[in-house]
Structures are given as structure tokens and as C-alpha cells.
């Protein structure tokens, strides 16, 4: 159980932050940037949900928001040689599988695309596109972190972010009246 009695601790005043399993890193460290961008994705989903209350995708988005806290915890808990006194929270293949099922569930109602989709149509769709682009940035940060020889990142964490951006794209089309309100790119339209 998480208990937050005091919000400010002053421990970050020197430009560092604590990792979940101990140790400190500079606030500009790639690991901190990675889980910070995951948090930013989550905040975008909070804004999306202002437009999806009562819609069938809202419970999916709520589950994803909780998953993103799991992912942040996963990224903030660095594996060390010494065992932790608790089981660290990690993204699981089951979470990846669930989001794939939800993508398929939404996508089966959409007609195939004949062009790229411009962000827009409805407020909810535009907000989902914004969340998608922030999610892609989080994915790039996590992939870069995973590529460093001195850092460990679970493959499921990378997979989850990759599937999430796909989910957000499909959800944006679905909420746009199942694609009927999509705004399509017209190549060279304004030449």
C-alpha cells in the first residue's frame, strides 16, 4: 500500500531523484526521462477521459492508466545483484495480451484505411492522437534505455508501449464514429 503523507521531501533539491529500490539518479537521467514520459502519457489519458465518460472505451482507458503506473514502477525499480525485500512490480505478458485483444475488438468495426489519418474529427479522437504521440516518445526513451549495456528493461515494458500506441490509434478511429469522422491526409493538397 502506498502512503503519501508528505508531498515535498526536499531530497530532490540538488537535482537528483530516488529510484524505487534505492539509489539516486540525476533528474535528467534517461531512466527518469523514460518513466517521466510514461507518466506524461498517463496524464494525457486523463485528459482523454474527460471526453470518454460513459463510452465503452473508457473502462479500457482506466485499465491502461493503472497499467502505466505499473510500468512506471517497473522502470523505476532497477534490477541489482542483491535481492529486493519485495517482489518488484513488472509489466507482464498478460497485460500486453489484453491490450492486443482490445485493439482487435475495436479494429474489427473499422473499415480499412486508404490514407493516413490526421489528428482530429472529435475532441476525444484528437486527445487520443496526442496521447499516442506522447506514448511513442515514451517508447523511444524506453527503447533507448533498453539499448544501453548497463541498463536492464523488461521486454514486456517495450512491447506494452508499442501496443499502447497502436491501441490509441485504433481507439481514436473507433471514437470517431468508427472511422466515419476520420480526417484523412490528402497528399500535396496545398501545393
Amino acid at each position: 500500500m502506498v502512503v503519501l503523507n508528505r508531498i515535498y521531501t526536499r531530497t530532490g533539491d540538488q537535482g537528483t531523484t530516488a529510484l524505487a529500490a534505492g539509489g539516486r539518479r540525476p533528474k535528467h537521467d534517461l531512466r527518469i526521462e523514460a518513466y517521466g514520459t510514461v507518466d506524461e502519457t498517463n496524464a494525457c489519458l486523463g485528459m482523454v477521459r474527460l471526453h470518454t465518460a460513459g463510452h465503452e472505451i473508457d473502462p479500457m482507458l482506466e485499465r491502461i492508466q493503472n497499467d502505466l503506473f505499473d510500468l512506471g514502477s517497473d522502470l523505476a525499480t532497477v534490477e541489482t545483484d542483491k535481492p529486493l525485500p519485495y517482489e518488484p512490480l513488472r509489466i507482464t505478458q498478460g497485460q500486453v495480451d489484453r491490450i492486443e485483444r482490445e485493439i482487435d475488438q475495436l479494429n474489427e468495426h473499422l473499415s480499412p484505411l486508404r490514407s493516413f489519418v490526421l489528428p482530429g474529427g472529435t475532441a476525444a479522437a484528437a486527445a487520443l492522437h496526442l496521447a499516442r504521440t506522447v506514448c511513442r516518445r515514451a517508447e523511444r526513451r524506453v527503447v533507448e534505455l533498453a539499448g544501453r549495456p548497463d541498463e536492464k528493461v523488461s521486454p514486456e515494458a517495450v512491447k506494452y508501449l508499442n501496443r499502447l500506441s497502436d491501441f490509441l490509434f485504433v481507439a481514436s478511429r473507433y471514437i470517431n464514429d468508427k472511422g466515419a469522422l476520420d480526417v484523412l491526409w490528402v497528399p500535396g493538397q496545398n501545393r
Side-chain angles (χ1 to χ4, degrees):
M1 175 186 216
V2 176
V3 178
L4 299 172
N5 290 328
R6 190 164 173 211
I7 301 305
Y8 66 91
T9 62
R10 297 186 178 115
T11 59
D13 291 352
Q14 301 304 311
T16 65
T17 193
L19 294 172
R24 298 192 71 79
R25 298 266 180 109
K27 290 187 177 190
H28 64 271
D29 183 86
L30 182 58
R31 183 170 293 274
I32 310 309
E33 180 67 25
Y35 70 72
T37 310
V38 167
D39 188 38
E40 189 178 349
T41 303
N42 205 341
C44 286
L45 291 180
M47 296 299 292
V48 168
R49 293 188 65 211
L50 295 175
H51 304 286
T52 61
H55 192 281
E56 64 190 288
I57 71 165
D58 196 60
M60 296 175 190
L61 295 172
E62 182 179 14
R63 283 190 294 274
I64 289 166
Q65 283 193 288
N66 278 280
D67 286 351
L68 289 174
F69 260 82
D70 290 354
L71 179 55
S73 178
D74 186 333
L75 294 169
T77 308
V78 178
E79 290 186 29
T80 63
D81 293 335
K82 62 180 186 176
L84 295 172
Y86 59 90
E87 182 68 29
L89 188 57
R90 303 288 184 208
I91 289 293
T92 66
Q93 185 60 46
Q95 289 168 297
V96 175
D97 294 342
R98 188 202 73 241
I99 207 165
E100 286 179 355
R101 286 190 304 274
E102 291 176 344
I103 291 168
D104 293 341
Q105 175 186 338
L106 297 177
N107 200 45
E108 72 183 29
H109 300 283
L110 303 177
S111 58
L113 280 172
R114 304 282 183 242
S115 182
F116 289 103
V117 175
L118 299 177
T122 64
L128 282 160
H129 278 289
L130 179 61
R132 174 185 57 79
T133 63
V134 174
C135 179
R136 284 287 188 205
R137 181 163 29 95
E139 180 185 12
R140 290 190 300 271
R141 299 292 188 272
V142 171
V143 167
E144 182 182 358
L145 182 68
R148 291 190 173 177
D150 57 335
E151 297 284 3
K152 290 184 182 177
V153 174
S154 74
E156 289 76 20
V158 175
K159 285 186 215 175
Y160 187 87
L161 284 169
N162 187 263
R163 296 312 180 284
L164 177 56
S165 60
D166 293 337
F167 171 88
L168 296 171
F169 176 75
V170 170
S172 73
R173 294 197 64 220
Y174 188 85
I175 209 153
N176 257 350
D177 194 20
K178 298 180 179 157
L181 299 176
D182 283 344
V183 180
L184 300 180
W185 173 49
V186 180
Q189 177 180 2
N190 300 310
R191 288 183 177 178

